Amino acid sequence: MRHELRGLAMLAPLALAACGPAGPSAEQRAAAVDAFATVKEVFQHPRCQNCHIPGDAPLQFDAGVAHAQAVVRGPDGHGAPGLPCGTCHGESNPPASYGPHAPPGAPHWALPPPSMRMVTQGLSAPALCAMIKDTKENNGRDFAALIKHVSEDKLVLWGWNPGGERKPVPVPHAQFVEKFKVWADAGAVSVGVTDARRSGEMTNFPSERPATAEDRAVPGHRKGDPIPGLAGSAVGWNARRENRETLRVFEPRAGTTRKASLVPA
Amino acid sequence: MVSLTINGKTQDFDVPDDMPLLWVIRDVAHLTGTKFGCGLAQCGACTVHLDGAPLRACVTPVGAAAGKAITTIEGLSPDGTHPVQRAWAELDVVQCGYCQSGQIMSAVALIKAKPEPTDADIDAALSGNICRCGTYPRIRAAVHRAATLAKETTR
Ligand code: FES
Ligand code: FES
């Protein structure tokens, strides 16, 4: 048992170091992490996130409630056979004379296909960062393709011109693309757990867990209990509820700085 | 002026580009089989096909349909013998009938995309068509029947 703990104590800082690649300078890295916060804000805005969901039922409205008519993702992301998204969502937003409640439109209105869901909903910054870069999850897009997608895709651009009374993505599109490039140009640095913790986004440690079960639905919440070790040290594994992302947590001694690193689930 | 091909017939209509297609079909072309229920893509009563894909005519500006093939309930068959229409008659699906043109147009689209639909497929494809009379169980049975008839017809 003690041996195991020592082993983990060695591993934890190593794994942490692996989060930041050698490439960019400290300032570049900080700027990239900062830029990624804007990327995240956009990717997780209801206009984008309502269809980048883990399940098969898309969401709608600023509140992200289940889409009316129980519509589904379907075999290719374009809805159920016989009820494609295009049945109601045309090539462009309807004229203003149709009122604020007519369905909005943009070319190729759809969800990502079921084989490549590109889920952004509820992901922490580290998890979102990893998803965007993973060609196995992002439809095989390299950075040139990703930048083209976020700068030119008509359905992406709709997020800034959603029509009706829908809230547009609040970050100006040009600024979003610029931030995306800052992050990409710095080698798309992995946004680490410590970065996310610094921004107050993640609640990684059991002691910081929300008190009641209902509160634990908050994004970023992790669940786990540490195994006590030598001289008050502890090690634990926290698994995030919604995506089973696993976080290794090591506490050298009670009350000292805890170290955390993400490990693949 | 908009040129539309409705049920195989091309015609010019002197209407503004942003008039809903449903208005043109019902009030200008006088094809009243397609119904108006909500005008908001909420009920499915106005379903037609555009180049073979289902479409809510009430939220589609007529300009978006120009140059494309529009099919309404009247255009499914000259004599009401489309497999879906036959199944509907055989099972006496209709109650008041208001929603049924839309139901049938959605069912036709479903069977085209999925010739042997399961109950789940039917629910997913017709979930956007509301029937205030609650004929849903008969609709589901009739879609299965129509799929069988369609297969026999093509054989
Ligand atoms: S009238 Fe078009 S969906 Fe209700
Ligand atoms: S039959 Fe009356 S609304 Fe469907």
Side-chain angles (χ1 to χ4, degrees):
Chain A
M1 184 69 189
R2 273 181 196 175
H3 260 100
E4 271 168 37
L5 272 180
R6 292 241 173 80
L8 280 174
M10 308 273 291
L11 266 176
L14 271 179
L16 201 64
C19 285
S25 68
E27 292 101 80
Q28 234 186 332
R29 185 173 193 288
V33 168
D34 188 56
F36 190 78
T38 303
V39 172
K40 182 173 187 288
E41 181 184 351
V42 173
F43 274 52
Q44 294 183 333
H45 187 273
R47 294 290 85 74
C48 308
Q49 179 178 271
N50 277 353
C51 285
H52 284 268
I53 44 145
D56 285 319
L59 308 174
Q60 65 179 161
F61 304 140
D62 295 340
V65 296
H67 190 298
Q69 288 101 10
V71 295
V72 293
R73 186 191 299 270
D76 54 7
H78 285 263
L83 185 55
C85 306
T87 307
C88 302
H89 296 281
E91 291 283 304
S92 57
N93 290 329
S97 60
Y98 285 39
H101 304 299
H108 62 90
W109 195 277
L111 284 77
S115 54
M116 188 73 73
R117 289 169 186 251
M118 294 178 254
V119 177
T120 64
Q121 188 193 27
L123 291 194
S124 63
L128 180 66
C129 169
M131 188 285 285
I132 297 173
K133 292 195 289 186
D134 187 348
T135 50
K136 287 203 287 301
E137 286 200 57
N138 76 9
N139 209 8
R141 293 184 173 100
D142 59 10
F143 272 91
L146 281 172
I147 287 169
K148 194 170 153 63
H149 176 68
V150 299
S151 344
E152 293 172 21
D153 189 294
K154 294 257 166 43
L155 186 50
V156 170
L157 291 174
W158 170 87
W160 280 266
N161 175 30
E165 288 159 3
R166 296 165 202 95
K167 282 203 190 87
V169 177
V171 183
H173 180 255
Q175 189 184 330
F176 159 60
V177 173
E178 189 198 304
K179 297 280 186 187
F180 195 91
K181 284 181 181 160
V182 168
W183 171 65
D185 289 347
V189 295
S190 293
V191 176
V193 172
T194 37
D195 300 314
R197 274 182 58 70
R198 202 171 299 131
S199 67
E201 190 221 339
M202 294 179 85
T203 310
N204 293 330
F205 297 104
S207 57
E208 294 164 13
R209 251 192 259 160
T212 65
E214 293 77 62
D215 292 344
R216 288 179 198 147
V218 298
H221 168 65
R222 289 159 186 283
K223 168 144 177 52
D225 286 300
I227 304 161
L230 188 67
S233 68
V235 67
W237 298 88
N238 283 352
R240 197 164 166 183
R241 285 166 183 238
E242 57 268 57
N243 58 6
R244 279 172 289 156
E245 179 185 87
T246 312
L247 183 76
R248 178 168 34 209
V249 185
F250 173 66
E251 193 169 44
R253 229 178 316 116
T256 54
T257 321
R258 286 163 291 200
K259 289 185 175 142
S261 60
L262 275 175
V263 293
Chain B
M1 195 68 85
V2 184
S3 169
L4 295 180
T5 306
I6 308 179
N7 301 330
K9 203 169 122 210
T10 305
Q11 229 184 306
D12 287 341
F13 293 94
D14 188 11
V15 294
D17 257 20
D18 64 350
M19 181 183 271
L21 176 60
L22 180 62
W23 278 219
V24 182
I25 290 174
R26 286 183 53 86
D27 298 350
V28 186
H30 302 298
L31 293 166
T32 50
T34 308
K35 302 301 181 201
F36 169 83
C38 65
L40 281 171
Q42 298 284 314
C43 75
C46 65
T47 307
V48 299
H49 292 183
L50 192 65
D51 284 345
L55 183 79
R56 302 290 190 252
C58 67
V59 290
T60 306
V62 63
K68 299 187 177 162
I70 300 158
T71 310
T72 70
I73 185 81
E74 292 90 346
L76 275 189
S77 65
D79 50 2
T81 54
H82 186 285
V84 177
Q85 290 172 311
R86 271 153 56 207
W88 244 248
E90 215 178 276
L91 274 91
D92 227 345
V93 173
V94 174
Q95 188 74 25
C96 82
Y98 201 83
C99 71
Q100 299 291 343
S101 313
Q103 304 280 4
I104 289 173
M105 295 312 279
S106 289
V108 171
L110 167 63
I111 292 173
K112 203 165 129 199
K114 205 129 199 206
E116 288 178 42
T118 62
D119 281 351
D121 293 331
I122 296 170
D123 292 354
L126 272 68
S127 63
N129 289 85
I130 293 171
C131 174
R132 63 190 173 185
C133 301
T135 61
Y136 302 112
R138 294 207 293 269
I139 290 172
R140 195 199 253 182
V143 175
H144 285 302
R145 178 71 185 135
T148 309
L149 289 175
K151 249 193 299 173
E152 284 168 5
T153 316
T154 50
R155 220 172 264 155

